[in-house]
Amino acid sequence: MDRRDILMALPVFAGLSERDWEKIADLFSERQYQKDDYLFLEGEAPEALYIVKTGKVKVLRHSTDGKDVVLRVCSMGQMLGTVATFDGSGYAGTAQAIENCTLLVIARNDCLTLVNRYPVFALAVINDLGTRLRGSAEQIRSLAVERVEQRIARVLLKLAETSGSDVPDGRVIEMPLTRQDVADMTGTTVETAIRVMSKFRRNGQIRTRRGKVVLVDRQALQAIAESR
């Protein structure tokens, strides 16, 4: 899929005319990143907005006790650095490539120009920020009131939805997922993540294949995620 196809698939660019596309596409450049490369660091001044073309990127924050907390995983078509780009403050988290990837990049000043020039784009950005805000609120609520089994089941289901593909025996999360990653995403310890994942495996709800997690019984995991 070429650069324009990726951009046209994004809701923020819906409704733009052919003439508009000729102007907008040239504002984006492509950057290649290798596995574990950093796109930007938490607190850095925002220079650009990023859109994933291929591969996957995680956004994480450093906690006061020195641990990394994974906030989200971004795959094709998702944006990174949106909040910082528009409010001018430092990036709220650190973005790191999970695997080799290609990013579409637009300079912050050019992005602000698009907001001023195209109301459709501005409204779509507001909607994207609202969705992110609701997601953050849900994550905070989950960490505060949900059991660790619920949190891990919810994260596995979300990753399977955003970064998964169907296989004969279920749905595989198409990214390496260590127990440390699971612990970081759910605000728990590695030991607890190992215990819960082992339990899910014994119960036939997941299995591991070549370093990737396969969700075998998503219905059972959904029941755990929604239990009270």
Side-chain angles (χ1 to χ4, degrees), residues 36-40 56-60 94-98:
D36 296 329
D37 283 351
Y38 290 100
L39 283 65
F40 52 79
K56 295 178 179 63
V57 177
K58 63 181 176 181
V59 180
L60 53 92
T94 294
Q96 184 179 22
I98 295 175

Side-chain angles (χ1 to χ4, degrees), residues 113-204:
T113 297
L114 291 184
V115 170
N116 290 325
R117 187 170 297 173
Y118 302 105
V120 172
F121 177 71
L123 289 172
V125 167
I126 292 171
N127 181 67
D128 178 74
L129 292 174
T131 299
R132 293 271 305 280
L133 180 61
R134 286 192 296 273
S136 297
E138 176 63 25
Q139 187 174 31
I140 292 170
R141 187 197 68 80
S142 174
L143 291 172
V145 304
E146 290 185 345
R147 295 177 294 107
V148 66
E149 289 87 352
Q150 289 177 272
R151 301 201 301 267
I152 291 179
R154 189 183 300 277
V155 163
L156 292 176
L157 289 164
K158 184 174 182 179
L159 290 175
E161 178 184 355
T162 60
S163 305
S165 61
D166 291 326
V167 292
D169 55 346
R171 188 169 177 86
V172 61
I173 298 174
E174 293 287 2
M175 55 176 278
L177 190 63
T178 67
R179 301 302 183 264
Q180 183 68 62
D181 293 331
V182 174
D184 291 343
M185 291 182 188
T186 55
T188 190
T189 64
V190 175
E191 292 76 15
T192 300
I194 292 173
R195 176 178 58 80
V196 173
M197 294 288 282
S198 297
K199 179 181 177 181
F200 288 169
R201 188 180 301 106
R202 289 195 305 271
N203 292 340

Side-chain angles (χ1 to χ4, degrees), residues 1-155:
M1 186 176 289
D2 63 25
R3 182 191 314 176
R4 177 165 166 168
D5 289 337
I6 292 286
L7 295 174
M8 290 180 69
L10 295 175
V12 292
F13 294 109
L16 295 179
S17 68
E18 187 70 24
R19 180 179 298 178
D20 292 336
W21 274 113
E22 294 176 0
K23 301 174 183 177
I24 288 174
D26 289 339
L27 297 178
F28 287 85
S29 60
E30 290 190 12
R31 294 183 190 173
Q32 309 289 329
Y33 294 87
Q34 302 300 307
K35 182 179 182 295
D36 296 329
D37 283 351
Y38 290 100
L39 283 65
F40 52 79
L41 301 177
E42 181 179 345
E44 281 187 340
E47 297 181 353
L49 181 143
Y50 299 76
I51 300 173
V52 181
K53 179 180 179 183
T54 63
K56 295 178 179 63
V57 177
K58 63 181 176 181
V59 180
L60 53 92
R61 295 194 71 173
H62 304 293
S63 64
T64 54
D65 60 1
K67 292 183 178 180
D68 291 337
V69 178
V70 179
L71 302 177
R72 61 191 181 111
V73 174
C74 300
S75 53
M76 187 179 72
Q78 293 184 297
M79 296 187 293
L80 301 102
T82 314
V83 175
T85 297
F86 291 103
D87 71 8
S89 60
Y91 288 115
T94 294
Q96 184 179 22
I98 295 175
E99 56 194 22
N100 295 347
C101 56
T102 302
L103 278 291
L104 303 178
V105 184
I106 181 171
R108 179 172 182 259
N109 288 339
D110 288 335
C111 196
L112 295 177
T113 297
L114 291 184
V115 170
N116 290 325
R117 187 170 297 173
Y118 302 105
V120 172
F121 177 71
L123 289 172
V125 167
I126 292 171
N127 181 67
D128 178 74
L129 292 174
T131 299
R132 293 271 305 280
L133 180 61
R134 286 192 296 273
S136 297
E138 176 63 25
Q139 187 174 31
I140 292 170
R141 187 197 68 80
S142 174
L143 291 172
V145 304
E146 290 185 345
R147 295 177 294 107
V148 66
E149 289 87 352
Q150 289 177 272
R151 301 201 301 267
I152 291 179
R154 189 183 300 277
V155 163

